[in-house]
Amino acid sequence: MSVITIAPINFSNPELIDKIISELKKYLPYKINLQPLQINLNFAYSVERGQYYSTKIIQHLLPFAENINGKFLALVEVDLFIPVFTYVFGEAQLNGKVSIVSLTRLHEEFYSGISDEKLLIERSVKEILHELGHNFGLIHCKDWDCVMHSSLGIEEVDIKGIDYCSNCKRLIRL
């Protein structure tokens, strides 16, 4: 049985993490461990972009995942990018151990100024499942009902499904 380690980095709201993990357990048959981390992420900050380079953070987290039997997903509250995109909701090592998800652009108040915790939790679960799917070897799925569908904007996160489609579940033996 795999273990999923969720590692909130410098997180300001532990109660939110508990709610996200509780919801996440509905979709994953794995044990979920919580490992909060305090890491200075300045090494990944781009002054030009005002964002954090997610690939550098993943590389920095590799030693934390070395002795873990399973997957390691970091949650951050900073805005992430990779050079070819304006921003990313997350990034993962395909068939690897480590992934990262940012909650910054999953907050509804980022777009409308209105807070919606239920929507934030749903979006967070979708993006966590999506990045873990990449860790398990899944690529983007064409099925809009599948959480592995690519999301280029928050509207697409909201439209896509919250679980893996039957084909993706079969591929990762869920």
Side-chain angles (χ1 to χ4, degrees), residues 126 144 149-161:
K126 286 180 179 181
W144 275 98
H149 195 280
S150 177
S151 303
L152 298 177
I154 197 65
E155 300 84 4
E156 293 180 350
V157 172
D158 291 340
I159 292 170
K160 73 180 177 182

Side-chain angles (χ1 to χ4, degrees), residues 68-88:
I68 291 175
N69 180 22
K71 307 303 180 191
F72 184 94
L73 184 132
L75 282 177
V76 295
E77 296 178 297
V78 297
D79 199 20
L80 299 176
F81 79 97
I82 58 174
V84 296
F85 290 119
T86 305
Y87 65 90
V88 291

Side-chain angles (χ1 to χ4, degrees), residues 1 8-9 14 33 56 61 80 97 99 130 150 152 171-172:
M1 179 179 174
I9 298 176
N33 290 334
K56 280 187 177 180
L61 294 173
L80 299 176
K97 273 187 157 182
S99 53
H130 183 92
S150 177
L152 298 177
L171 291 172
I172 60 175

Side-chain angles (χ1 to χ4, degrees), residues 107-125:
H107 284 274
E108 180 56 27
E109 58 260 35
F110 186 86
Y111 306 96
S112 68
I114 299 169
S115 179
D116 187 334
E117 185 179 87
K118 183 180 175 197
L119 186 57
L120 172 62
I121 292 169
E122 181 180 320
R123 289 172 174 172
S124 300
V125 168

